[in-house]
Amino acid sequence: MAMATAGAVIAACILALLAPPPARAAGGGRCAGESFSANRAYAACNDLPRLGASMHWTYDRASGDLHVAFVAAPAAPGGWVAWALNPSGDGMAGAQALVAGPFPDGGGTWAVRTYNVSGYALGEPGPIAFPASDLAAELGADGRVRVFGTLGLGAAAVGGGGVLLNQVWQVGAAVSSGGVPAPHAMGADNLAAKAKLDLLRATTVAAGADSATRKRNIHGVLNAVSWGLLLPMGAIFARYLKTFRAADPAWFYLHVTCQLIGYGVGVSGWATGMKLGKESRGVTYTDHRNIGIAVFALGTLQVLALFLRPKKEHKFRVYWNTYHHSVGYAVIVLGVVNIFKGMSILGVEQRWRTAYIAAVCVLLVAAAALEAVTWGVVLRRRKADGKTFSSAPNGHLPHSVSV
């Protein structure tokens, strides 16, 4: 029952993580109540899915001009905000950016600079692919910055009359005395601050729904199910069911089945993570990556060790058991720790984090209950046999796992 409950919780997490987010229609939410200085008004607006930002625009199909207002709060007082269109991709490289900050050349007020971002560093300010005019920025009393401008898109720039554009946005915590924006944070919201902007339908759809974020979600689900659920379940089957003679050899097959399926799914999750790492140039989560490699390596050793398992009566079997137990528990602990690190990186909603914690707690409670029950069985059995624990062979606990 406990195992089924844990599985149901994880299954719900899987469905929620893989479900694509809906499109956001213009004119709804917080952005609809926004007002701007100088009687500026826009035909459409969206609350963007990350960083608490919003986008307002009017698109003139005849001239190809896009009049925009981007609203966001800097990561800290004195920081900066940025919004960009990217005609060549959905990330930072290739972005044609409007960056607003308290730059020295603004005379102490907020100013806007344009950046043609060619890589994974902002570079120097300069002209961008879309002619920019009417650039301005102002800091509101609510701590949010309003960035205004007009971009000359032209028919060619939007794909021969198409109006589905890649937009990215960002916030930073500081601007140096020389006017250089400090690098932004590498949190999940920062890395996922991108979306598709449909100028005619007036909607934004999170870009990650069909690209990098979806891949990260798949990576997280595979690892949560394998290292975070199947392997602990397999260990519970081996440690506790073995005590009951009627469960022999069923406990062994349950244990091996959970571990092999868990390892196979875990390898898929690990490989997905390594591929994501290669695709995310300039972004490295060192601890998460290193723990993942360690879990994969130790898990592989566990599988290979099955081919070197001595027979029960062999004198080296006790050493093999010690190795098997130690490495197995290390894989489980490191795996669960890394799952929580991955959740922090992904910015998983608290309700799903709570659901996973609940699943882990179900397994822990089941293990604690079975620990008490099996000790009771062993105590009665040894008492009936007239034995003491000091007579246990090889100094093992009476119901230690020996597989």
Side-chain angles (χ1 to χ4, degrees), residues 230-235 254-264 332:
L230 289 174
L231 264 64
M233 287 174 60
L254 285 170
H255 172 68
V256 171
T257 299
C258 280
Q259 304 309 82
L260 289 181
I261 294 176
Y263 175 75
I332 291 171

Side-chain angles (χ1 to χ4, degrees), residues 7 45 53 117 121 143 154 168-169 180 202 207 257 264 268 275-276 292-293 308 328 351 387:
C45 75
V117 185
V168 295
W169 61 97
V180 179
T257 299
S268 299
K275 186 175 186 299
L276 282 169
I293 292 173
L308 301 175
R351 56 175 175 162
K387 296 179 180 180

Side-chain angles (χ1 to χ4, degrees), residues 155-208:
V158 293
V163 288
L164 187 64
L165 308 176
N166 296 312
Q167 62 173 335
V168 295
W169 61 97
Q170 199 53 257
V171 298
V175 175
S176 73
S177 58
V180 179
H184 63 76
M186 291 296 181
D189 271 5
N190 298 88
L191 297 179
K194 53 188 177 180
K196 302 287 186 181
L197 175 63
D198 191 328
L199 297 182
L200 287 187
R201 295 183 181 178
T203 61
T204 60
V205 179

Side-chain angles (χ1 to χ4, degrees), residues 105-139:
D105 54 6
T109 61
W110 281 72
V112 180
R113 292 177 175 177
T114 56
Y115 290 80
N116 185 339
V117 185
S118 59
Y120 288 87
L122 192 58
E124 296 294 326
I128 59 176
F130 308 122
S133 59
D134 302 324
L135 299 179
E138 57 188 35
L139 176 64

Side-chain angles (χ1 to χ4, degrees), residues 10 27 52 89 93 217 227 246 310 320-321 331 389:
I10 295 298
N217 287 344
W227 312 112
W320 187 92
N321 285 344
V331 168
F389 289 112

